Amino acid sequence: MKFNITVIPGDGIGPEVVNQAQKVLNAIGEVYDHTFLYEEVLMGACAIDKEGTPLPEKTLASCKKSDAILFGAIGDPKYDNDPSAKVRPEQGLLKLRKELALFCNVRPVKAYDQLIKNSPLKEEIIKGTDIEIYRELTGGIYFGIKQLSDDKQIAFDGCSYSVEEIERIAHLAFKAAQGRSKRLTLVDKANVLETSRLWRKTVSELSSQYPDVAVDTMFVDNAAMQLILNPKQFDVVLTGNLFGDILSDEASVIGGSIGLLASASVGNENALFEPIHGSYPQAKGKDIANPLASILSAAMLLRHLKLSKEAEAIEKAVEKSLELGITTEDIQSQSNFSTSKVGDFIVDYIHNQEDSNINFKNIHMGQSTII
Ligand code: IPM
Ligand code: MN
C-alpha cells in the first residue's frame, strides 16, 4: 500500500532520530511491500530561523492532508533562556496539536527485561510494568487564557475543561483498557480543582458504558508517588494535559531511559507520532542520541495505519537490539553504538528476521561486513 507521511524533523536531535525512523520505515516498505512517500517540512526553532514562525502554513497544510505525521523534537536553548521571547519554538507544536485537534496523547511505558538494571528503581518494583498513559493534549492549563499584568507583577494561566473534551479522550482510554488488563485510573486533583471534579463526574458517568473496566481515581500527588512505589498497579492512566506531561516523564524512569519512550497524538482526522524526549541540544549533531523512541514512534504510526504485523517487526527488532546491547550511551556507557549504527541494526534485523543472533551481533560489532 501507499502512504503519505509528513516528516517534521524539528530541532536539536530531532533530525538525527527521525532519520533513523525513516530508514526503518523504508525497510518495512521493502520487506512488506509498501510505499511511504515523505514530505519534509519545518517546525520549531528551525522554522522561526528560516520563516519567522514556528509553524509555517505549508507545514500545517502538509500535516492536514497526510496519512500520518512523524515528528522529532522541538526547542532550542536560545529561547529557553529568554523569558521575554515573543515567539517560541514550542508554540509551533502546541498550535499544531490544537489545529489538528490531536486531543489524545498515548504514551506507553514498559519495563523491558533487558533494561531492568538500567533503572535506578529496584527490579522487583518495576519488572513486568506495562502502563499506557492517556494524556489529554489540547485543553487544560496549556491552552487557557494567559495574562501578564501591565506592571508585570502578576501572571495568570487559566485552566478549563468541558465535558465534551473529557468524554472524547475518556472513551479512547476505556476502549484501550478493554483491550488490555481492563483497569483505568483517573489521575486528578479533585480535592482542589473544579476541573478535576468535572473529570471525575464525567468519567464516572461514562464508566457504565464499560462495565468490564475497573475504574479507580487517584490524586496526582499520590500518583506521582505510586508510580515509583508500585507501578504495576497501573494499566491505563487517564489524565489531563499538565499532569500527563509530568507523570509521563517521571514514568520514563521505569523504562530505564527516556530515550525509549514513544508517543502517539491522535485526533479524529490526523495523527502524529513522536518520541517524548525533547530536543536534547547538547547531543545535537553528535550521532549519540538514542533513536529507539523515534523508531518505536514509527511502530505506533504503522499500527495506526493498521499495519500491525509491520509494527511488531519493529518492536521485535528493538527488543533484539536491547538484548544484544546494540544501544546508545544513555543505555550502556561502555561499548555503546552511535545513533545511526543502532538504526542500521534495526534495518538489518527487519531485512533478515530469520537470521541467528550471533550473526547479527558479529556484524554489528564490526566483526563481519556482509549479511
Ligand atoms: C511534551 C513536551 C511538550 C509539552 C513541550 C515541548 C511543549 O514536553 O510533548 O511532553 O509540554 O507538551
Ligand atoms: Mn513533556
Side-chain angles (χ1 to χ4, degrees), residues 351-363:
H351 278 295
N352 302 277
Q353 290 171 48
E354 306 306 319
D355 278 20
S356 75
N357 302 344
I358 301 299
N359 191 15
F360 275 110
K361 183 143 191 157
N362 288 345
I363 288 161

Side-chain angles (χ1 to χ4, degrees), residues 84 86 148-155:
S84 67
K86 286 267 174 305
L148 183 63
S149 62
D150 291 342
D151 63 2
K152 299 196 172 29
Q153 295 303 296
I154 304 172

Side-chain angles (χ1 to χ4, degrees), residues 113-339:
D113 280 346
Q114 302 90 328
L115 291 184
I116 297 271
K117 301 259 174 312
N118 281 67
S119 174
L121 301 174
K122 291 201 183 88
E123 170 161 2
E124 61 267 29
I125 289 184
I126 57 173
K127 197 172 166 56
T129 300
D130 185 355
I131 306 174
E132 246 174 35
I133 300 178
Y134 273 65
R135 167 189 174 195
E136 201 289 328
L137 203 60
T138 51
I141 196 163
Y142 269 59
F143 292 94
I145 296 167
K146 297 184 189 303
Q147 280 166 352
L148 183 63
S149 62
D150 291 342
D151 63 2
K152 299 196 172 29
Q153 295 303 296
I154 304 172
F156 175 88
D157 286 290
C159 178
S160 79
Y161 269 115
S162 68
V163 169
E164 195 196 340
E165 283 175 313
I166 299 166
E167 275 181 352
R168 60 185 183 177
I169 183 169
H171 277 298
L172 296 182
F174 271 111
K175 286 186 186 131
Q178 283 183 320
R180 294 170 48 93
S181 303
K182 303 192 168 47
R183 285 176 290 129
L184 185 145
T185 307
L186 171 66
V187 172
D188 62 26
K189 189 72 187 170
N191 49 347
V192 177
L193 302 176
E194 202 56 51
T195 43
S196 287
R197 291 192 271 272
L198 190 62
W199 273 83
R200 279 210 180 186
K201 181 167 178 287
T202 309
V203 169
S204 149
E205 280 166 13
L206 276 194
S207 65
S208 60
Q209 296 179 36
Y210 302 91
D212 52 335
V213 176
V215 181
D216 69 353
T217 53
M218 201 180 272
F219 295 142
V220 64
D221 45 355
N222 184 28
M225 183 172 73
Q226 294 298 331
L227 260 180
I228 301 298
L229 281 180
N230 177 16
K232 275 177 275 197
Q233 69 185 289
F234 297 107
D235 177 21
V236 171
V237 170
L238 170 63
T239 190
N241 204 341
L242 182 62
F243 298 157
D245 179 47
I246 298 167
L247 292 180
S248 55
D249 269 32
E250 185 195 0
S252 76
V253 176
I254 297 166
S257 169
I258 197 168
L260 279 173
L261 253 64
S263 84
S265 304
V266 298
N268 294 330
E269 308 289 332
N270 300 97
L272 174 145
F273 301 85
E274 60 170 308
I276 85 154
H277 60 67
S279 57
Y280 190 15
Q282 304 86 331
K284 179 182 174 172
K286 293 192 183 150
D287 204 22
I288 57 169
N290 191 341
L292 293 182
S294 183
I295 290 170
L296 287 169
S297 300
M300 292 185 92
L301 179 152
L302 293 175
R303 197 161 272 120
H304 175 78
L305 297 175
K306 309 247 176 322
L307 305 177
S308 330
K309 186 168 63 189
E310 291 82 342
E312 267 162 38
I314 296 184
E315 286 156 0
K316 219 171 106 204
V318 167
E319 291 198 13
K320 203 42 106 182
S321 77
L322 297 176
E323 203 177 288
L324 298 178
I326 300 179
T327 48
T328 42
E329 65 174 25
D330 53 308
I331 290 183
Q332 53 176 12
S333 46
Q334 281 122 26
S335 76
N336 55 67
F337 290 77
S338 67
T339 308

